[in-house]
Structures are given as structure tokens and as C-alpha cells.
Amino acid sequence: TRMVGFSAFAQDDDDRKIMADAKEAMAKMIDKDAAVEKFFNNSAGYAIFPNVGKGGLIVGAAAGNGIVYENGVAIGSTELKKLSVGLQAGGQAISEVIFFETQEALEDFKDGDFEFAAGVSAVVLKEGKAKNIKYKDGVAVAAMPKGGLMAEASVGGQKFDYESFEENEDED
């Protein structure tokens, strides 16, 4: 099993807070359905958004910040810029993780302006559901409600920005 390590790159307090939340979200997802752990261990990388859509029906607002990992190491931050209607309708916060099957899929995400096609939906994690996670075009998505039940999570139309921690080092 690969341990999640944190790199020595410069991060601000917000990044560190999101990292701690991401680590906690990952632990809760594995707790919810242990089968998801193999996706964390076997993917080229993943992006975790610990708090997506807090505050319910926010149309077009920035929906969540996350951390991108490559081979288990935090390499940068990401912002979910557009929340899909399917999640908003539930009016509850979720944790979301995007798994990148290949290095190529991860690089596509890191190029910035990554967007999900309209029909993409996330597997909602509860016991026994992680086995339904399937890669499509090198990417798979899982979501976990932070309270209450959620039948389905449409993530189509979500857009993301990416910023490497290395690029932040000169800003202080």
C-alpha cells in the first residue's frame, strides 16, 4: 500500500487546510467502501474535493477547492469552477474524487480547463458500490454525501482549474 505523502513544496494555510480535509475525506471514503482504496492505490493520480457545493443552490459559483495527487504525493491545488445542476438539487455538500487511470489522463487535467462531458456521473459511495466505478476516457469519479442520502451525482459540465504547488514557491 502506498502511503500518502506531502511534498515540501510551498503551500499556504488554505492549501494545508484543504489537504487535511482531503486526507480526512479519503479516509472516510475508504471507510464507507473499502473497495475504493484500490483506486487510490492503483491510479496514476487523483483529485480530491473535500467540500463540494456547500450551501446548496449556488448557481455558477465556485463550488469547491481540492488537492491533486500524483502517485500518492500532493502536487497542486485545483478549483471546481462550475457545479452541475444534479448536485445542486440535492442541496447538500459532498466530497468528490476524480481518479486518473493513466499519466496521460492526469496530464490532461493538469493542463487546466478540464471539463466533464454532459453525461458523466459519479458513483455514490456506500458499502459495495465502489465496484461500479469504471474509467471512461481514463477518468472515473466517485462522490460521497457529507450528510443524508444521495441517489445519484451528475458531474457533467463540471470545469476545473489546476495550479502546481511548485509554481507558488516564488510568490511569498
Side-chain angles (χ1 to χ4, degrees):
T1 321
R2 208 174 11 210
M3 290 300 296
V4 176
F6 294 112
S7 58
F9 298 135
Q11 294 115 15
D12 60 24
D13 288 342
D14 287 348
D15 286 337
R16 278 192 284 274
K17 164 92 177 89
I18 295 164
M19 247 187 223
D21 289 351
K23 217 171 170 180
E24 187 182 334
M26 178 179 167
K28 284 185 175 157
M29 286 177 180
I30 292 168
D31 195 46
K32 183 77 77 171
D33 190 338
V36 78
E37 189 167 15
K38 73 171 198 253
F39 286 92
F40 283 110
N41 290 336
N42 299 337
S43 62
Y46 46 88
I48 302 181
F49 298 86
N51 298 298
V52 175
K54 248 185 173 163
L57 297 160
I58 324 164
V59 179
N65 293 305
I67 302 292
V68 179
Y69 296 83
E70 185 170 351
N71 298 320
V73 177
I75 58 163
S77 61
T78 177
E79 182 186 358
L80 201 167
K81 296 191 296 186
K82 187 175 166 210
L83 189 57
S84 56
V85 176
L87 289 177
Q88 289 169 352
Q92 62 172 309
I94 65 159
S95 295
E96 179 179 328
V97 60
I98 305 167
F99 295 107
F100 304 104
E101 185 176 24
T102 61
Q103 192 65 38
E104 188 182 6
L106 177 60
E107 294 303 326
D108 278 352
F109 186 86
K110 285 161 61 177
D111 284 344
D113 287 334
F114 184 87
E115 182 174 356
F116 286 132
V120 178
S121 65
V123 171
V124 177
L125 289 178
K126 45 186 184 271
E127 191 57 54
K129 288 288 183 189
K131 66 179 184 293
N132 299 334
I133 297 173
K134 303 268 187 292
Y135 285 107
K136 185 175 181 342
D137 301 324
V139 177
V141 188
M144 184 181 70
K146 296 193 72 163
L149 295 169
M150 185 168 80
E152 142 180 54
S154 163
V155 294
Q158 283 186 351
K159 288 184 162 166
F160 305 88
D161 272 345
Y162 170 76
E163 193 172 300
S164 165
F165 287 143
E166 289 173 300
E167 291 163 15
N168 296 346
E169 284 185 331
D170 303 329
E171 287 178 17
D172 288 341

